[in-house]
PDB file of all heavy atoms in Angstrom:
ATOM      1  N   TRP V 155      27.590   1.766 -33.096  1.00 95.00           N
ATOM      2  CA  TRP V 155      26.791   0.798 -32.322  1.00 95.00           C
ATOM      3  C   TRP V 155      27.398  -0.579 -32.471  1.00 95.00           C
ATOM      4  O   TRP V 155      27.438  -1.249 -33.464  1.00 95.00           O
ATOM      5  CB  TRP V 155      25.325   0.723 -32.968  1.00 95.00           C
ATOM      6  CG  TRP V 155      24.567   2.061 -32.983  1.00 95.00           C
ATOM      7  CD1 TRP V 155      25.012   3.171 -32.364  1.00 95.00           C
ATOM      8  CD2 TRP V 155      23.283   2.322 -33.469  1.00 95.00           C
ATOM      9  NE1 TRP V 155      24.020   4.182 -32.515  1.00 95.00           N
ATOM     10  CE2 TRP V 155      22.975   3.630 -33.202  1.00 95.00           C
ATOM     11  CE3 TRP V 155      22.364   1.554 -34.150  1.00 95.00           C
ATOM     12  CZ2 TRP V 155      21.736   4.209 -33.534  1.00 95.00           C
ATOM     13  CZ3 TRP V 155      21.208   2.097 -34.596  1.00 95.00           C
ATOM     14  CH2 TRP V 155      20.848   3.382 -34.230  1.00 95.00           C
ATOM     15  N   ILE V 158      24.748  -4.390 -30.487  1.00 91.00           N
ATOM     16  CA  ILE V 158      23.635  -5.137 -31.144  1.00 91.00           C
ATOM     17  C   ILE V 158      24.307  -6.060 -32.144  1.00 91.00           C
ATOM     18  O   ILE V 158      24.844  -5.579 -33.191  1.00 91.00           O
ATOM     19  CB  ILE V 158      22.623  -4.251 -31.809  1.00 91.00           C
ATOM     20  CG1 ILE V 158      21.994  -3.316 -30.708  1.00 91.00           C
ATOM     21  CG2 ILE V 158      21.549  -5.098 -32.399  1.00 91.00           C
ATOM     22  CD1 ILE V 158      21.043  -2.271 -31.354  1.00 91.00           C
ATOM     23  N   LYS V 175      17.012  -8.190 -40.093  1.00 92.00           N
ATOM     24  CA  LYS V 175      17.817  -7.487 -39.123  1.00 92.00           C
ATOM     25  C   LYS V 175      17.236  -7.743 -37.689  1.00 92.00           C
ATOM     26  O   LYS V 175      16.108  -8.156 -37.586  1.00 92.00           O
ATOM     27  CB  LYS V 175      17.623  -5.987 -39.303  1.00 92.00           C
ATOM     28  CG  LYS V 175      18.098  -5.540 -40.753  1.00 92.00           C
ATOM     29  CD  LYS V 175      19.619  -5.855 -41.067  1.00 92.00           C
ATOM     30  CE  LYS V 175      19.982  -5.197 -42.269  1.00 92.00           C
ATOM     31  NZ  LYS V 175      19.406  -5.786 -43.506  1.00 92.00           N
ATOM     32  N   PRO V 176      18.016  -7.712 -36.698  1.00 93.00           N
ATOM     33  CA  PRO V 176      17.549  -7.828 -35.278  1.00 93.00           C
ATOM     34  C   PRO V 176      16.455  -6.798 -34.889  1.00 93.00           C
ATOM     35  O   PRO V 176      16.522  -5.692 -35.227  1.00 93.00           O
ATOM     36  CB  PRO V 176      18.857  -7.685 -34.416  1.00 93.00           C
ATOM     37  CG  PRO V 176      19.921  -7.609 -35.360  1.00 93.00           C
ATOM     38  CD  PRO V 176      19.438  -7.292 -36.705  1.00 93.00           C
ATOM     39  N   GLU V 177      15.523  -7.302 -34.097  1.00 95.00           N
ATOM     40  CA  GLU V 177      14.435  -6.425 -33.741  1.00 95.00           C
ATOM     41  C   GLU V 177      15.056  -5.216 -32.820  1.00 95.00           C
ATOM     42  O   GLU V 177      14.556  -4.092 -32.969  1.00 95.00           O
ATOM     43  CB  GLU V 177      13.382  -7.136 -32.850  1.00 95.00           C
ATOM     44  CG  GLU V 177      12.517  -8.035 -33.676  1.00 95.00           C
ATOM     45  CD  GLU V 177      11.478  -8.844 -32.843  1.00 95.00           C
ATOM     46  OE1 GLU V 177      11.164  -8.228 -31.721  1.00 95.00           O
ATOM     47  OE2 GLU V 177      11.054  -9.831 -33.264  1.00 95.00           O
ATOM     48  N   THR V 178      16.000  -5.489 -32.031  1.00 95.00           N
ATOM     49  CA  THR V 178      16.631  -4.478 -31.143  1.00 95.00           C
ATOM     50  C   THR V 178      17.213  -3.352 -32.042  1.00 95.00           C
ATOM     51  O   THR V 178      17.183  -2.214 -31.555  1.00 95.00           O
ATOM     52  CB  THR V 178      17.685  -5.041 -30.276  1.00 95.00           C
ATOM     53  OG1 THR V 178      18.622  -5.864 -31.112  1.00 95.00           O
ATOM     54  CG2 THR V 178      17.014  -5.972 -29.242  1.00 95.00           C
ATOM     55  N   LEU V 179      17.734  -3.638 -33.167  1.00 96.00           N
ATOM     56  CA  LEU V 179      18.241  -2.606 -34.120  1.00 96.00           C
ATOM     57  C   LEU V 179      17.075  -1.664 -34.483  1.00 96.00           C
ATOM     58  O   LEU V 179      17.253  -0.438 -34.415  1.00 96.00           O
ATOM     59  CB  LEU V 179      18.978  -3.183 -35.252  1.00 96.00           C
ATOM     60  CG  LEU V 179      19.550  -2.268 -36.312  1.00 96.00           C
ATOM     61  CD1 LEU V 179      20.621  -1.412 -35.697  1.00 96.00           C
ATOM     62  CD2 LEU V 179      19.973  -2.944 -37.555  1.00 96.00           C
ATOM     63  N   LEU V 180      16.040  -2.230 -35.044  1.00 97.00           N
ATOM     64  CA  LEU V 180      14.928  -1.384 -35.512  1.00 97.00           C
ATOM     65  C   LEU V 180      14.211  -0.735 -34.332  1.00 97.00           C
ATOM     66  O   LEU V 180      13.726   0.424 -34.400  1.00 97.00           O
ATOM     67  CB  LEU V 180      13.957  -2.213 -36.271  1.00 97.00           C
ATOM     68  CG  LEU V 180      14.326  -2.415 -37.824  1.00 97.00           C
ATOM     69  CD1 LEU V 180      14.326  -1.078 -38.471  1.00 97.00           C
ATOM     70  CD2 LEU V 180      15.568  -3.214 -38.023  1.00 97.00           C
ATOM     71  N   GLU V 181      14.213  -1.329 -33.064  1.00 97.00           N
ATOM     72  CA  GLU V 181      13.560  -0.658 -32.018  1.00 97.00           C
ATOM     73  C   GLU V 181      14.293   0.519 -31.585  1.00 97.00           C
ATOM     74  O   GLU V 181      13.776   1.604 -31.213  1.00 97.00           O
ATOM     75  CB  GLU V 181      13.520  -1.655 -30.817  1.00 97.00           C
ATOM     76  CG  GLU V 181      12.417  -2.759 -30.963  1.00 97.00           C
ATOM     77  CD  GLU V 181      12.437  -3.774 -29.849  1.00 97.00           C
ATOM     78  OE1 GLU V 181      13.165  -3.513 -28.865  1.00 97.00           O
ATOM     79  OE2 GLU V 181      11.771  -4.790 -29.932  1.00 97.00           O
ATOM     80  N   ARG V 182      15.683   0.491 -31.649  1.00 97.00           N
ATOM     81  CA  ARG V 182      16.516   1.664 -31.278  1.00 97.00           C
ATOM     82  C   ARG V 182      16.179   2.818 -32.194  1.00 97.00           C
ATOM     83  O   ARG V 182      15.995   3.976 -31.833  1.00 97.00           O
ATOM     84  CB  ARG V 182      17.927   1.295 -31.268  1.00 97.00           C
ATOM     85  CG  ARG V 182      18.855   2.544 -31.009  1.00 97.00           C
ATOM     86  CD  ARG V 182      20.295   2.152 -30.901  1.00 97.00           C
ATOM     87  NE  ARG V 182      20.468   1.369 -29.602  1.00 97.00           N
ATOM     88  CZ  ARG V 182      21.642   0.848 -29.279  1.00 97.00           C
ATOM     89  NH1 ARG V 182      22.729   0.973 -30.098  1.00 97.00           N
ATOM     90  NH2 ARG V 182      21.753   0.149 -28.151  1.00 97.00           N
ATOM     91  N   ILE V 183      16.167   2.489 -33.517  1.00 97.00           N
ATOM     92  CA  ILE V 183      15.915   3.551 -34.540  1.00 97.00           C
ATOM     93  C   ILE V 183      14.486   4.129 -34.394  1.00 97.00           C
ATOM     94  O   ILE V 183      14.420   5.399 -34.392  1.00 97.00           O
ATOM     95  CB  ILE V 183      16.046   2.979 -35.929  1.00 97.00           C
ATOM     96  CG1 ILE V 183      17.448   2.437 -36.163  1.00 97.00           C
ATOM     97  CG2 ILE V 183      15.579   3.906 -37.031  1.00 97.00           C
ATOM     98  CD1 ILE V 183      17.611   1.647 -37.448  1.00 97.00           C
ATOM     99  N   ILE V 184      13.581   3.258 -34.139  1.00 98.00           N
ATOM    100  CA  ILE V 184      12.161   3.844 -33.977  1.00 98.00           C
ATOM    101  C   ILE V 184      12.022   4.566 -32.646  1.00 98.00           C
ATOM    102  O   ILE V 184      11.336   5.660 -32.645  1.00 98.00           O
ATOM    103  CB  ILE V 184      11.200   2.651 -34.063  1.00 98.00           C
ATOM    104  CG1 ILE V 184      11.149   2.129 -35.509  1.00 98.00           C
ATOM    105  CG2 ILE V 184       9.760   3.099 -33.656  1.00 98.00           C
ATOM    106  CD1 ILE V 184      10.383   0.816 -35.692  1.00 98.00           C
ATOM    107  N   LYS V 185      12.522   4.073 -31.628  1.00 97.00           N
ATOM    108  CA  LYS V 185      12.408   4.856 -30.400  1.00 97.00           C
ATOM    109  C   LYS V 185      13.088   6.258 -30.392  1.00 97.00           C
ATOM    110  O   LYS V 185      12.562   7.153 -29.878  1.00 97.00           O
ATOM    111  CB  LYS V 185      13.150   4.065 -29.193  1.00 97.00           C
ATOM    112  CG  LYS V 185      12.329   2.876 -28.645  1.00 97.00           C
ATOM    113  CD  LYS V 185      13.184   2.139 -27.604  1.00 97.00           C
ATOM    114  CE  LYS V 185      12.487   0.949 -27.075  1.00 97.00           C
ATOM    115  NZ  LYS V 185      13.281   0.216 -26.010  1.00 97.00           N
ATOM    116  N   ASP V 196       8.173   2.005 -43.695  1.00 96.00           N
ATOM    117  CA  ASP V 196       9.360   1.198 -44.180  1.00 96.00           C
ATOM    118  C   ASP V 196       8.966   0.869 -45.666  1.00 96.00           C
ATOM    119  O   ASP V 196       8.207  -0.007 -45.919  1.00 96.00           O
ATOM    120  CB  ASP V 196       9.442  -0.024 -43.309  1.00 96.00           C
ATOM    121  CG  ASP V 196      10.762  -0.841 -43.816  1.00 96.00           C
ATOM    122  OD1 ASP V 196      11.308  -0.463 -44.879  1.00 96.00           O
ATOM    123  OD2 ASP V 196      11.082  -1.764 -43.130  1.00 96.00           O
ATOM    124  N   THR V 203      10.538  -6.738 -40.044  1.00 95.00           N
ATOM    125  CA  THR V 203      11.153  -6.359 -38.677  1.00 95.00           C
ATOM    126  C   THR V 203      10.781  -4.939 -38.240  1.00 95.00           C
ATOM    127  O   THR V 203      10.477  -4.785 -37.126  1.00 95.00           O
ATOM    128  CB  THR V 203      12.631  -6.562 -38.731  1.00 95.00           C
ATOM    129  OG1 THR V 203      12.943  -7.905 -39.114  1.00 95.00           O
ATOM    130  CG2 THR V 203      13.242  -6.332 -37.303  1.00 95.00           C
ATOM    131  N   ALA V 204      10.827  -3.974 -39.192  1.00 96.00           N
ATOM    132  CA  ALA V 204      10.481  -2.647 -38.778  1.00 96.00           C
ATOM    133  C   ALA V 204       9.009  -2.586 -38.326  1.00 96.00           C
ATOM    134  O   ALA V 204       8.711  -1.852 -37.417  1.00 96.00           O
ATOM    135  CB  ALA V 204      10.802  -1.740 -39.950  1.00 96.00           C
ATOM    136  N   VAL V 205       8.112  -3.119 -39.153  1.00 96.00           N
ATOM    137  CA  VAL V 205       6.727  -2.992 -38.794  1.00 96.00           C
ATOM    138  C   VAL V 205       6.443  -3.838 -37.619  1.00 96.00           C
ATOM    139  O   VAL V 205       5.517  -3.358 -36.694  1.00 96.00           O
ATOM    140  CB  VAL V 205       5.790  -3.365 -39.947  1.00 96.00           C
ATOM    141  CG1 VAL V 205       5.974  -2.525 -41.118  1.00 96.00           C
ATOM    142  CG2 VAL V 205       5.982  -4.871 -40.358  1.00 96.00           C
ATOM    143  N   ALA V 207       8.624  -4.094 -35.045  1.00 96.00           N
ATOM    144  CA  ALA V 207       8.988  -3.249 -33.853  1.00 96.00           C
ATOM    145  C   ALA V 207       8.145  -2.061 -33.695  1.00 96.00           C
ATOM    146  O   ALA V 207       7.924  -1.698 -32.475  1.00 96.00           O
ATOM    147  CB  ALA V 207      10.473  -2.786 -34.241  1.00 96.00           C
ATOM    148  N   ALA V 208       7.652  -1.454 -34.803  1.00 97.00           N
ATOM    149  CA  ALA V 208       6.754  -0.341 -34.697  1.00 97.00           C
ATOM    150  C   ALA V 208       5.433  -0.701 -33.919  1.00 97.00           C
ATOM    151  O   ALA V 208       4.951  -0.064 -33.112  1.00 97.00           O
ATOM    152  CB  ALA V 208       6.409   0.203 -36.045  1.00 97.00           C
ATOM    153  N   LEU V 211       6.091  -1.182 -30.187  1.00 97.00           N
ATOM    154  CA  LEU V 211       6.331   0.095 -29.554  1.00 97.00           C
ATOM    155  C   LEU V 211       5.205   1.031 -29.567  1.00 97.00           C
ATOM    156  O   LEU V 211       5.323   2.253 -29.211  1.00 97.00           O
ATOM    157  CB  LEU V 211       7.602   0.716 -30.092  1.00 97.00           C
ATOM    158  CG  LEU V 211       8.905  -0.028 -29.986  1.00 97.00           C
ATOM    159  CD1 LEU V 211      10.014   0.595 -30.727  1.00 97.00           C
ATOM    160  CD2 LEU V 211       9.240  -0.284 -28.476  1.00 97.00           C
TER     161      LEU V 211
END
Side-chain angles (χ1 to χ4, degrees):
W155 298 358
I158 300 175
K175 303 296 187 297
E177 286 179 26
T178 49
L179 177 67
L180 275 300
E181 286 177 9
R182 175 174 292 175
I183 294 169
I184 291 170
K185 285 178 180 178
D196 185 351
T203 303
V205 298
L211 296 173

